Amino acid sequence: MSVPLAELTGDYVLDPTHTRIGFVARHAMVTKVRGAFHEFEGTAHLDGSDPARSTGQVVIKAESIDTGVEQRDQHLRTNDFLDAPNFPDITFRTTGVEQKSDTEYRVTGDLTIKDTTKPVTIDFEYTGNAVDPYGNLRVGLEGSVTVSRKEFGITWNAALEGGGVLVGDKIVLEFDVSAIKQG
């Protein structure tokens, strides 16, 4: 049974076992590589009566990157890409929330990768809420945003013999969120 939006007001934590923070990158100009981060934590304050007063933050462990190919993942953790030893956290902190419709929200915030912070805007769809078998109120959101990796100082690449480059500049960040209300 779904709870009315106004009754969702409160503090939430991301459920890491039911949340996916992923990405898609163009590879060799012909295909896409998909991956995810498996270690992260996040909190949010949702205001169902006034969504503009909602806030949130996510901290992602860069070393938890996983594309299903260990050699590629090790390369992505180096200074060529995320430089996980020197910049272990990727962060996102909201700076604004705008309700676009009953189920659509535009979340603006600061994304920090390595030592660079840039504003990004993520369009989210509110997918609903439910009380799970353990009595926890959960809310679901899905969203994505395309960012330029070069804007975050991630410039490594290799030229292809027939033209083009090995790794595309545009990266799609994907968020499938399940958050649990606290207290």
Side-chain angles (χ1 to χ4, degrees):
M1 180 159 146
S2 188
V3 174
L5 197 58
E7 293 180 28
L8 295 177
T9 297
D11 295 320
Y12 290 78
V13 296
L14 293 186
D15 176 359
T17 60
H18 296 99
T19 295
R20 179 180 180 275
I21 299 177
F23 59 90
V24 180
R26 180 71 58 191
H27 181 263
M29 310 298 290
V30 298
T31 191
K32 294 176 182 174
V33 169
R34 298 178 190 281
F37 294 93
H38 295 299
E39 294 178 34
F40 54 85
E41 56 186 37
T43 59
H45 175 78
L46 301 183
D47 189 323
S49 298
D50 184 2
R53 294 179 46 179
S54 298
T55 60
Q57 71 172 17
V58 177
V59 178
I60 302 164
K61 296 298 180 188
E63 68 185 17
S64 73
I65 194 166
D66 182 5
T67 64
V69 177
E70 185 58 31
Q71 184 178 3
R72 176 173 48 220
D73 297 343
Q74 289 297 336
H75 188 203
L76 292 171
R77 292 178 186 118
T78 71
N79 188 43
D80 284 346
F81 291 94
L82 297 176
D83 195 6
N86 292 309
F87 301 100
D89 296 333
I90 298 168
T91 62
F92 177 79
R93 288 183 176 74
T94 60
T95 57
V97 176
E98 177 186 1
Q99 185 171 3
K100 303 299 280 180
S101 74
D102 287 346
T103 60
E104 297 173 320
Y105 296 85
R106 183 160 285 159
V107 177
T108 303
D110 292 327
L111 177 64
T112 302
I113 302 173
K114 293 175 82 168
D115 59 350
T116 302
T117 301
K118 297 281 185 185
V120 297
T121 300
I122 307 167
D123 289 324
F124 278 100
E125 178 184 357
Y126 168 63
T127 57
N129 65 74
V131 176
D132 68 22
Y134 306 102
N136 297 310
L137 177 62
R138 293 176 175 269
V139 297
L141 297 163
E142 293 178 358
S144 66
V145 63
T146 301
V147 298
S148 163
R149 65 186 182 91
K150 291 177 185 173
E151 289 184 2
F152 291 92
I154 303 172
T155 59
W156 182 91
N157 226 326
L160 298 175
E161 187 176 310
V165 291
L166 186 62
V167 182
D169 176 47
K170 301 298 182 191
I171 307 296
V172 179
L173 302 176
E174 302 171 323
F175 306 91
D176 296 314
V177 175
S178 178
I180 302 171
K181 189 173 186 181
Q182 301 299 289

